[in-house]
Amino acid sequence: MGEVRWLDDDEQRMWRTFLWASRLLHESLDRQLQRDARMPHTYYVILAMLSEAPDRSLTMSELARLVQSSPSRLSHAVAKLEAQGWVSRCKRPGDARTNLARLTDEGYAVLVEAAPGHVEEVRRVLFDHLSPEQVRQLQAIFESVLAGLTSGNGD
């Protein structure tokens, strides 16, 4: 094992600030959606990704990739959404091995009702505190971080 590359004081402050801010941001979004739409943020993201897909459906593997979830965790969440009547699952026509998740009309209506409160909370807890230049900088920063994580360098 090589020499440890300890964080300097600035890096340590930034790291802890990031941890606390991301945790509190997620908790705030989750609380708002639980209160106003009776669903966790994770379910909202699944519904949103399906709503943006052609025919409001995706393969389970595509959906897992989009929502950054393991297949088993996604399957559990989709089962809960199915029980609510918000998502349905079926086999892809002509390919009995591939499962599709489809946003139902009821699920779409729930999403449409939840979206205004959700976007207002996102604005309140994040964008209202940033200038347009800071938004651009944050986008560039997280694109770099995400590229590193998804290229296999984050393992």
Side-chain angles (χ1 to χ4, degrees):
M1 183 154 167
E3 185 177 326
V4 176
R5 298 184 314 138
W6 297 106
L7 301 179
D8 66 28
D9 290 345
D10 288 339
E11 290 169 331
Q12 187 68 270
R13 263 192 312 281
M14 190 287 305
W15 174 240
R16 288 181 181 171
T17 300
F18 167 78
L19 285 176
W20 307 153
S22 61
R23 178 178 176 189
L24 292 174
L25 175 65
H26 182 77
E27 287 175 359
S28 180
L29 296 175
D30 205 50
R31 261 192 319 276
Q32 179 273 319
L33 282 164
Q34 287 283 5
R35 180 187 66 236
D36 297 347
R38 292 178 179 76
M39 79 174 85
H41 187 246
T42 302
Y43 293 5
Y44 180 89
V45 172
I46 292 169
L47 297 178
M49 294 302 101
L50 288 171
S51 78
E52 295 171 1
D55 298 322
R56 293 192 255 176
S57 65
L58 291 165
T59 66
M60 290 292 285
S61 59
E62 289 169 325
L63 185 56
R65 183 183 52 77
L66 282 173
V67 301
Q68 301 294 305
S69 177
S70 70
S72 62
R73 189 176 306 236
L74 177 68
S75 184
H76 178 73
V78 169
K80 297 277 189 178
L81 293 168
E82 256 186 316
Q84 293 284 344
W86 299 348
V87 171
S88 64
R89 282 189 275 194
C90 64
K91 297 293 183 186
R92 175 184 265 169
D95 182 0
R97 295 181 304 158
T98 302
N99 291 308
L100 293 174
R102 188 182 73 73
L103 182 64
T104 65
D105 290 341
E106 183 181 349
Y108 184 74
V110 166
L111 180 66
V112 166
E113 187 174 325
H118 177 65
V119 75
E120 183 54 39
E121 185 70 358
V122 170
R123 287 198 172 284
R124 185 185 73 76
V125 299
L126 181 63
F127 291 103
D128 288 352
H129 305 281
L130 301 173
S131 69
E133 178 58 25
Q134 288 173 315
V135 170
R136 286 188 289 280
Q137 291 169 342
L138 197 57
Q139 177 69 33
I141 289 165
F142 281 108
E143 284 174 354
S144 294
V145 171
L146 188 58
L149 290 169
T150 58
S151 71
N153 297 335
D155 291 344

